[in-house]
Amino acid sequence: MSILEYAPSPETTAPHIRERYGLFIEGRWVSPASGRYVPTINPADESVLAEVAFAEAADVDRAVRAARKAYDKYWRKLSGAARAKYVYRIARAITERSRELAVLETLNGGKPIRESRDFDVPAAAAHFFYYAGWADKLEWALRAGRTAHPIGVCGQIVPWNFPLLMAAWKLAPALACGNTVVLKPAETTPLTALALAQIVAEADLPPGVVNVVTGDGSTGAALVEHDDVDKIAFTGSTEVGKIIARATAGTAKRLTLELGGKAANIVCADAPLDQAMEGIVNGIYFNQGHVCCAGSRLLVEERIHDEIIERLRARIETLRLGDPLDKNTDIGAINSRAQLDKIHELVDSGVEAGATLVQQSCWLPERGFFFPASFFTGVQPSHRIAREEIFGPVLSVMTFRTPEEAVEKANNTPYGLSAGVWTDKGSKNMWIAQQLRAGVVWCNTFNQFDPASPFGGYRESGFGREGGVHGLHEYLAH
Ligand code: NAP
Ligand code: MG
C-alpha cells in the first residue's frame, strides 16, 4: 500500500443510452425479423446497459440488399471528392462526440476511460480524417495507368477489444474507396458501433451505404455466407479466421484476415532500461492485455533477467485496478466472463507446468470481471502460456544469451503480427528487426499506431493490411 492514496476520480459524463436498439439498415432503425433482443452488459459491474437486436440470416440478407442498392444507385457513382466530404463529416462528428463515445466504450467494454479517451476515440477519428484525404486521390495509390474501382459490398466483422477503433479501421478505407458496408460488431460490445451508425445517419450518408447488424457469431457466419457480398474483412481469432477462410474458398469473395498474435518483446542488456520497463508494461497491460499485438512474450537477455524481474515486481504494484470509469485506473475489467474463464484456464496451465506466477497484490471488486496484472517466470518455450494467446494481463518471461537466440525464440510461434526490440545499438536493433517474422516491429518503443502506417500479420496472424496506402489496396478492385 502506498502512503498516498488516490481519491476517486470518476468520469461523470453520462452518454445517452437507449433502452433498446434495432438494426441499422438502409439509413433507418428497424426491428429484427425474429423480434429477438438480447441484453448487453457493463463488464465492470454486470449491470444491463441496453437491449440490442439479434440479427439472423433474414436480417443480414436485408442489410446486404440495402448495401447493394446503395452501391449501384448512389455510392459508386459519386466522385471521390464528394465521398471525401461524407467521410470527413464522420471524422468531425467522432471528434465532437469524443467524450460521450469514450464513456460508452468504457461502459460496454471495460477498458479504462484514460485509454478510450486518449487512444481509442482519437485514433478512430484519425482514421476517418486520413482516409477522407485519399478519397479523391485513389489513382495515386495505384501503379501508373491503373484506374481505381471499388470492390462492391463489403461484409466487415470486428472483435470486442477495440470495438470503435476496429470499426473505424474497416469503414474508413472501404467508404473512401467507394464500397458499401454491412458491419457486424462483437456480441459483447455493440454500443459504440450503434453510436457510429447514428453518426452515419446524422452525417447524411445515402441510405444503405453503411448498415450495422448486431447479433453473435451466427450473424457473422450469415454475412460470410451471403452470395451477394463481394468482400469479407475480418478481425478476430485465428480459429474463426480459419472457418471464414474455408467458407469463402472457391467463391469470388475477396478476403482479409486480421487474427491473433503472441508477440515477442526483446530486451537486450544494453537497452535503456527505464524506457524498456514502460514499454514492457504498456506492451502487456494496455487494455488488460486484450490486444492482438500485445507484447505477451518477454525475452530478456540473461544477465539482466533478475533486475528486470525485480523492477517488474515493483512496477505492477503501482498499477491501479478497478472502476474503468475512474481516470486513475490502469487495469479495467475483463470484457466478459467467458474471457475471464479463458484467462484463468491458461494461467492454471502455466502453474501446473511449473512456471512461477507473480501477481499484483490488490483487492478485486466483488462484482464484474477482473484479473490482476500478472507475469510468469521460469517459462519454457513449450508451455501453453508461451505458445497460446492468453488475451489478458499476463506476461510470460523467457531469457536469451545472444541476438541469434533471441530471434530464434521470437520466431518460434505460429503467429506473426508484431514484435518489439530494445537496445541502444542501432545496427543490432535493425538486424534483429529484419530477422523477425512479424508484420510490425517496434524499435525502442511499443504499441505505436498511426493511420498512415500499415498493420497486419503473417502466417496464423492473417493476411491483408489495414492503414496507410496498403489499406486502400484491400478495398480497390485492380
Ligand atoms: P472471435 O471470436 O474470432 O470474434 C470476432 C468476431 O467474429 C466477432 O464479431 C464474432 O461475433 C464474430 N464471429 C464469431 N464466430 C463467427 C463465425 N463463425 N463467422 C463469422 N463471424 C464470427 O474473436 P474475439 O474473441 O471476439 O476477439 C479476440 C481475438 O481477436 C483475439 O484472437 C485477437 O488476437 C484477435 N484480434 C486481432 C486483431 C488484429 O488486428 N489482428 C485485432 C483485435 C483482435 P461474436 O463476438 O458475436 O461471437
Ligand atoms: Mg467470440
Side-chain angles (χ1 to χ4, degrees), residues 316-374:
I316 61 172
E317 291 299 342
T318 68
L319 295 173
R320 299 180 58 80
L321 177 148
D323 180 6
L325 276 178
D326 191 311
K327 291 167 209 150
N328 291 320
T329 293
D330 300 302
I331 311 263
I334 300 302
N335 181 256
S336 65
R337 186 176 296 282
Q339 186 59 29
L340 183 59
D341 291 346
K342 188 181 151 199
I343 296 169
H344 276 294
E345 198 249 322
L346 274 158
V347 167
D348 290 349
S349 85
V351 173
E352 272 164 36
T356 306
L357 176 65
V358 181
Q359 295 190 305
Q360 69 176 133
S361 43
C362 67
W363 294 106
L364 299 185
E366 274 171 27
R367 291 185 68 77
F369 317 128
F370 289 89
F371 197 90
S374 312

Side-chain angles (χ1 to χ4, degrees), residues 124-390:
H127 270 265
F128 281 102
F129 278 122
Y130 175 79
Y131 281 111
W134 268 113
D136 63 347
K137 304 174 195 70
L138 296 175
E139 250 76 68
W140 296 94
L142 302 173
R143 260 180 276 138
R146 300 247 181 149
T147 317
H149 298 289
I151 295 172
V153 174
C154 299
Q156 304 186 318
I157 302 172
V158 295
W160 44 260
N161 56 345
F162 294 93
L164 179 70
L165 183 59
M166 291 300 108
W169 278 23
K170 296 221 164 351
L171 282 171
L175 297 177
C177 291
N179 304 280
T180 58
V181 171
V182 178
L183 176 74
K184 194 331 240 155
E187 182 182 9
T188 55
T189 53
L191 293 185
T192 46
L194 294 166
L196 196 55
Q198 188 61 39
I199 284 173
V200 163
E202 287 166 20
D204 231 3
L205 264 76
V209 171
V210 175
N211 307 275
V212 180
V213 289
T214 46
D216 72 1
S218 66
T219 314
L223 186 55
V224 168
E225 282 154 23
H226 197 291
D227 283 342
D228 204 28
V229 170
D230 298 306
K231 175 191 164 109
I232 293 290
F234 172 79
T235 298
S237 61
T238 295
E239 188 192 349
V240 174
K242 286 179 181 173
I243 296 174
I244 294 177
R246 277 195 288 272
T248 52
T251 71
K253 283 185 191 117
R254 302 248 310 237
L255 177 64
T256 45
L257 297 174
E258 301 278 350
L259 310 175
K262 189 78 183 174
N265 201 0
I266 300 172
V267 183
C268 301
D270 57 15
L273 281 198
D274 289 344
Q275 287 90 326
M277 285 315 299
E278 291 316 297
I280 294 167
V281 167
N282 173 279
I284 187 64
Y285 302 124
F286 179 62
N287 198 27
Q288 298 78 240
H290 300 329
V291 182
C292 48
C293 53
S296 52
R297 287 184 299 147
L298 178 62
L299 296 176
V300 294
E301 196 165 335
E302 205 171 79
R303 62 195 162 95
I304 56 163
H305 174 265
D306 293 353
E307 182 183 355
I308 294 267
I309 294 304
E310 276 326 296
R311 283 184 180 225
L312 197 53
R313 202 185 280 278
R315 184 67 176 84
I316 61 172
E317 291 299 342
T318 68
L319 295 173
R320 299 180 58 80
L321 177 148
D323 180 6
L325 276 178
D326 191 311
K327 291 167 209 150
N328 291 320
T329 293
D330 300 302
I331 311 263
I334 300 302
N335 181 256
S336 65
R337 186 176 296 282
Q339 186 59 29
L340 183 59
D341 291 346
K342 188 181 151 199
I343 296 169
H344 276 294
E345 198 249 322
L346 274 158
V347 167
D348 290 349
S349 85
V351 173
E352 272 164 36
T356 306
L357 176 65
V358 181
Q359 295 190 305
Q360 69 176 133
S361 43
C362 67
W363 294 106
L364 299 185
E366 274 171 27
R367 291 185 68 77
F369 317 128
F370 289 89
F371 197 90
S374 312
F375 65 88
F376 275 107
T377 59
V379 179
Q380 298 299 322
S382 58
H383 288 166
R384 284 182 68 200
I385 51 169
R387 307 199 65 77
E388 295 177 35
E389 196 176 33
I390 302 177

Side-chain angles (χ1 to χ4, degrees), residues 28 85-86 102 126 130 141 168 195-196 209 299 301 363 392 402 410 422 448-449:
R28 290 184 305 125
K85 282 189 224 163
Y86 289 108
Y130 175 79
L196 196 55
V209 171
L299 296 176
E301 196 165 335
W363 294 106
T402 62
W422 299 80
Q448 297 293 332
F449 295 92

Side-chain angles (χ1 to χ4, degrees), residues 399-472:
T399 58
F400 67 89
R401 289 184 187 169
T402 62
E404 289 77 9
E405 190 189 348
V407 166
E408 198 186 310
K409 284 190 167 163
N411 286 337
N412 180 13
T413 167
Y415 293 113
L417 192 57
S418 66
V421 189
W422 299 80
T423 162
D424 243 2
K425 303 267 186 308
S427 57
K428 184 155 73 174
N429 215 325
M430 288 302 142
W431 182 83
I432 294 177
Q434 281 167 359
Q435 308 301 312
L436 294 174
R437 283 179 283 167
V440 178
V441 180
W442 288 294
C443 295
N444 290 339
T445 186
F446 209 89
N447 274 346
Q448 297 293 332
F449 295 92
D450 189 280
S453 175
F455 184 88
Y458 285 102
R459 302 196 282 173
E460 295 211 359
S461 292
F463 50 81
R465 292 292 178 266
E466 294 188 306
V469 185
H470 305 66
L472 287 172

